[in-house]
Amino acid sequence: MNGTAPVGILGGTFDPMHAGHLALAQEALRQLHLSCVLLIPAGGPWQRTPQAPPLDRLEMVRRAVGQMPGLQVDDREVRRKGPTYTIDTLRELRAEWGNDRPLWLILGADAFLRLPTWHRWQELLDLVHLAVFCRPGSSLSADSMPLALRREFERRCCDPGQAQGSGGAIAICRMPLLEISATQIRNALRAGQFPADLLPPAVLDYIETHQLYR
Ligand code: ATP
């Protein structure tokens, strides 16, 4: 791997991992010219209670990713005890990859708008660049942001290709619309449906075998 090639970080509950998450990782890989995207399932997300246990969510991410080039699964948040805070993960990754390596935290626009509710959120803005992916039809105007986030956005926003250094920028990226959410999938499974078009087949098999989301 090239010594300064940027690395992407996609965290999430992945309850379960679905086609929208995969599309997001692949768009980021392509648009930001990343050497790889690390998919990091949250062990104990402190703001919500996932339905499937951490080890099952990790295994579903592994199966969804399979051998896809450029995508790697990182299990550190599932192994870590206690509540999962993204800032702890980013500090570890920064120490491992060194100060010169551009690190991009990949977020959907919905996750970005909730950023000020995250533990020590302002610290993470200097550690990594943020790539905020909007779907067609969803505009991310400064007006829709909480005031503290808007101030940071106005100070840091730039085109993805113009981010300087290894962290500190916020770039807005576009991706095709994939109207899929994990909530929708859990509801479909609970209703006895098989949403085969929304999930990789290996994930649906795992859910069936382990009787998850029933
Ligand atoms: P839920 O419905 O349970 O809230 P979710 O898929 O929105 O699930 P996460 O698993 O935490 O929640 O999502 C991880 C990341 O993937 C977030 O940054 C989220 O914005 C993004 N994301 C989720 N669904 C899509 C999608 N269909 N297209 C693009 N990005 C998505």
Side-chain angles (χ1 to χ4, degrees):
M1 199 178 287
N2 161 347
T4 53
V7 169
I9 301 159
L10 175 54
T13 315
F14 301 127
D15 187 26
M17 174 102 187
H18 56 63
H21 298 132
L22 276 179
L24 176 61
Q26 278 162 338
E27 280 295 320
L29 200 57
R30 190 177 63 78
Q31 292 187 30
L32 300 167
H33 309 288
L34 303 173
S35 53
C36 64
V37 172
L38 309 176
L39 288 115
I40 312 185
W46 62 290
Q47 292 200 347
R48 56 198 295 184
T49 309
Q51 219 168 301
L55 287 174
D56 284 320
R57 290 184 289 104
L58 171 64
E59 187 54 31
M60 288 189 279
V61 175
R62 288 204 168 115
R63 291 185 184 214
V65 165
Q67 302 299 315
M68 281 184 196
L71 303 189
Q72 292 176 23
V73 184
D74 183 314
D75 65 358
R76 75 183 64 222
E77 290 190 355
V78 168
R79 283 189 281 107
R80 190 185 301 145
K81 302 267 179 284
T84 302
Y85 296 122
T86 301
I87 185 72
D88 297 334
T89 303
L90 297 181
R91 284 184 170 285
E92 286 176 16
L93 289 169
R94 176 52 75 204
E96 289 163 24
W97 288 93
N99 286 336
D100 297 335
R101 174 83 62 167
L103 296 179
W104 284 90
L105 180 65
I106 302 157
L107 294 172
D110 54 329
F112 176 68
L113 290 175
R114 289 194 303 269
L115 195 64
T117 68
W118 292 18
H119 186 55
R120 288 161 41 206
W121 69 278
Q122 271 150 320
E123 275 175 54
L124 66 81
L125 296 175
D126 289 320
L127 270 181
V128 293
H129 296 309
L130 295 193
V132 183
F133 279 79
C134 298
R135 314 175 204 180
S138 78
S139 64
L140 191 69
S141 66
D143 292 345
S144 61
M145 298 175 197
L147 188 59
L149 184 63
R150 178 176 172 169
R151 289 212 182 98
E152 296 291 353
F153 176 74
E154 286 172 346
R155 196 155 73 80
R156 298 167 183 272
C157 82
C158 69
D159 284 335
Q162 279 161 0
Q164 302 287 315
S166 60
I170 302 178
I172 303 295
C173 308
R174 299 249 140 228
M175 69 176 285
L177 177 64
L178 265 186
E179 216 34 284
I180 304 175
S181 76
T183 306
Q184 168 197 7
I185 290 169
R186 291 193 302 274
N187 290 341
L189 290 164
R190 203 172 302 118
Q193 296 161 10
F194 295 90
D197 47 337
L198 309 182
L199 290 161
V203 175
L204 196 52
D205 277 357
Y206 188 89
I207 290 171
E208 280 306 294
T209 308
H210 294 83
Q211 289 290 296
L212 300 173
Y213 307 114
R214 296 297 177 203

